[in-house]
Every structure is written in structure tokens, then in C-alpha cells.
Amino acid sequence: MSKSDSAIRDLGYLDTLAGRSSCIHRLDPRAKLLVTVAFIVTVVSFDKYQVSSLLPFFVFPILMIAAANLPAGYLLRRMLWILPFIVFIGIFNPLLDRAVLVRLGSVEIAGGWISFVSILMRSFLTVLAALILVATTGFYVICMALEKMGVPNVFVMQLMFLYRYAFVLGEEISSMVRAWQLRAPLHRVMSLKTFSTLLGTLFLRTSSRAHRIYQAMLCRQFDGRIQTAGQLKWRMADTLFVAGMGIFLIIVRLANPAQILGQFITGIFS
């Protein structure tokens, strides 16, 4: 199996995880979506120099992974995909912000390094929360929840098509790369001429396939809405989940449990 085939199958494994059964999987997708959005908004609301305040937020993904029985190793490997982009965003902070904010004995730490660590932590938490949402709900069910919550149908449809046909596009790319590898087994790197040719061919193939897909949808009486068989039902467990996580987010946002705990421990041993 090529690396591209493995990447496509690995990404689709999130939907396989969503088919499991656990107390988190059985929650209404609207409840999980509301909590995840509130979690992400709360995390990104912190100042760029906040680090210790973000530590209590790691409780949320840890509890969700444990309660849903998700493979933590798989989710952490998926986080490695975006790590280069996160590092690229914040790597210039230490160069631009050199003002000393923290002194640990003789060691001086500039504000740029603190903001860089803060960016890493916030990005890690938000992306991991989104992965957990998909792994416990499924992308199509999330779209259905968005529609039930009043999100415009056009936006929901675009999301569904983007997710569904990203796999189709990936399969087309994988097929073309595999064909090139069979025709040029001695070449490890694709030349610019070959790459441009494959890119043009990919555009023509995807345009043709998109037309065939649209014609097939019209033949099946497509009216601009995706009809799903599943129905959403809000239960008491969903209310308790939203209320409990809401209280947790309010507490860790308004207070700093990590700092309070540190001061308490320091007071004991001082």
C-alpha cells in the first residue's frame, strides 16, 4: 500500500471510530457540538502570554478519550500532520518579541517563547477537540446536527460534499501517482514537467467525474438537500453533559486552578 493510500484510509478511520458504542458516542451530536465549540472559543480567548491557565483544559480531551475508548495514539499521530503548520505560525515570535517576562534564577525567558508555547498549546487543544468530535460523532452526523441547529443548508451541503469528495480526489491522485511509479520505477522524485502534466490531467478527470456525479444525483431526484434516515433526540443525559461541561469551562476560564494549586503547594513547603 502506497503512502497516499495509507493516508486516505487512515483519515477515514475517524468515521470508523464514530461507529463505536460508548456513553460519549450515544450523546446527541448537538450536545457534543455545542460543548466542543464552547471549549474551542474558551481556549482561544486567553491572552497570548497565558500558559499555566491552559493546563486545566487538558482534562477535557483526556476524559473524552477515556470515556469514548478512543485510541489516543492514533489521535496524537493525526496531530503530527498539523504540527509543522503550528510551528511555522509561531516560530517567529521569539525573534520579534524579545522582552523578558519571566526570570527563573539566572535564566531569562522572553515573551516570544512564552507566546510560542501558548500557540502550541491552544492549537493542540482545539484541533484535538475537533478530532474527538468527529471520532465520536461522524462528520455526516455533525452536518445533520448543524442543519438542525439552524445553519444554512447551503453551508452544510458544501461541508458534506467537501468531506465526501476529498476522499474521491485523494483516490484519483493516488491512482495517478501509482501509475507514474509503475512507468518510472527508477525515479524517486517527480520532475516539474511530469507534475504539471499530471496536474492538468487531474483537473480534466475531476471535472469529468464531477459532471457524471451531478447527472447521477439529478437522476435520483436530488433537490438540494441530503435526506438522512437517522433522527436526533435530545435526552436528559445530553442536558447534564452540556451543563456539566459548561460549569467546568466557566470555572477554568475565570479561575486559574493550576496557579492556585501551585500557590497551595508552595505555601505548604515554605
Side-chain angles (χ1 to χ4, degrees):
M1 182 184 297
S2 65
K3 292 183 178 180
S4 56
D5 291 333
S6 178
I8 295 171
R9 179 171 296 184
D10 217 20
L11 184 60
Y13 184 57
L14 284 174
D15 283 326
T16 303
L17 294 175
R20 293 184 174 183
S21 178
S22 71
C23 59
I24 302 299
H25 286 79
R26 289 189 291 270
L27 290 172
D28 191 286
R30 292 169 292 183
K32 289 180 281 187
L33 183 60
L34 285 172
V35 169
T36 302
V37 172
F39 176 82
I40 292 175
V41 171
T42 306
V43 169
V44 300
S45 67
F46 280 93
D47 183 77
K48 64 178 181 179
Y49 296 123
Q50 294 292 333
V51 174
S52 64
S53 300
L54 295 173
L55 293 177
F57 286 91
F58 283 91
V59 173
F60 173 74
I62 292 174
L63 290 180
M64 291 289 287
I65 291 174
N69 194 25
L70 298 177
Y74 168 79
L75 296 176
L76 292 177
R77 287 196 301 271
R78 298 288 68 76
M79 294 296 300
L80 295 178
W81 289 7
I82 67 163
L83 184 60
F85 301 99
I86 299 174
V87 172
F88 180 77
I89 292 173
I91 195 61
F92 297 104
N93 286 26
L95 302 177
L96 301 176
D97 187 0
R98 299 184 179 182
V100 177
L101 291 184
V102 178
R103 286 184 173 87
L104 299 176
S106 59
V107 179
E108 297 180 343
I109 303 177
W113 286 108
I114 297 176
S115 62
F116 176 57
V117 174
S118 179
I119 289 174
L120 290 179
M121 294 177 64
R122 283 182 288 177
S123 301
F124 180 87
L125 287 169
T126 53
V127 175
L128 183 58
L131 288 176
I132 292 173
L133 175 63
V134 177
T136 57
T137 309
F139 194 84
Y140 295 112
V141 181
I142 293 174
C143 291
M144 182 170 61
L146 287 172
E147 186 177 14
K148 295 294 184 180
M149 295 170 66
V151 177
N153 180 66
V154 174
F155 179 73
V156 175
M157 290 293 301
Q158 292 297 322
L159 278 179
M160 295 183 70
F161 284 133
L162 178 64
Y163 183 77
R164 170 64 184 90
Y165 292 107
F167 291 95
V168 177
L169 180 62
E171 292 171 359
E172 291 285 351
I173 295 174
S174 178
S175 176
M176 295 175 65
V177 171
R178 191 183 307 112
W180 170 78
Q181 290 174 339
L182 292 175
R183 287 171 173 79
L186 300 179
H187 296 274
R188 292 182 176 271
V189 181
M190 187 180 298
S191 65
L192 181 60
K193 180 179 179 180
T194 303
F195 176 78
S196 59
T197 302
L198 290 180
L199 190 62
T201 304
L202 177 65
F203 175 75
L204 295 176
R205 291 179 64 175
T206 51
S207 298
S208 176
R209 185 160 185 173
H211 179 71
R212 296 197 304 271
I213 291 173
Y214 179 66
Q215 293 297 327
M217 293 170 66
L218 291 180
C219 290
R220 290 166 174 80
Q221 304 298 317
F222 177 69
D223 59 355
R225 303 180 69 90
I226 295 294
Q227 303 297 329
T228 55
Q231 297 294 328
L232 303 182
K233 184 178 181 181
W234 190 277
R235 300 173 300 172
M236 180 58 67
D238 305 308
T239 303
L240 295 176
F241 175 71
V242 173
M245 292 310 304
I247 294 173
F248 168 76
L249 293 176
I250 292 174
I251 292 175
V252 295
R253 181 62 182 89
L254 298 180
N256 189 345
Q259 184 178 6
I260 296 174
L261 180 62
Q263 292 175 350
F264 176 75
I265 295 175
T266 303
I268 293 177
F269 292 99
S270 61

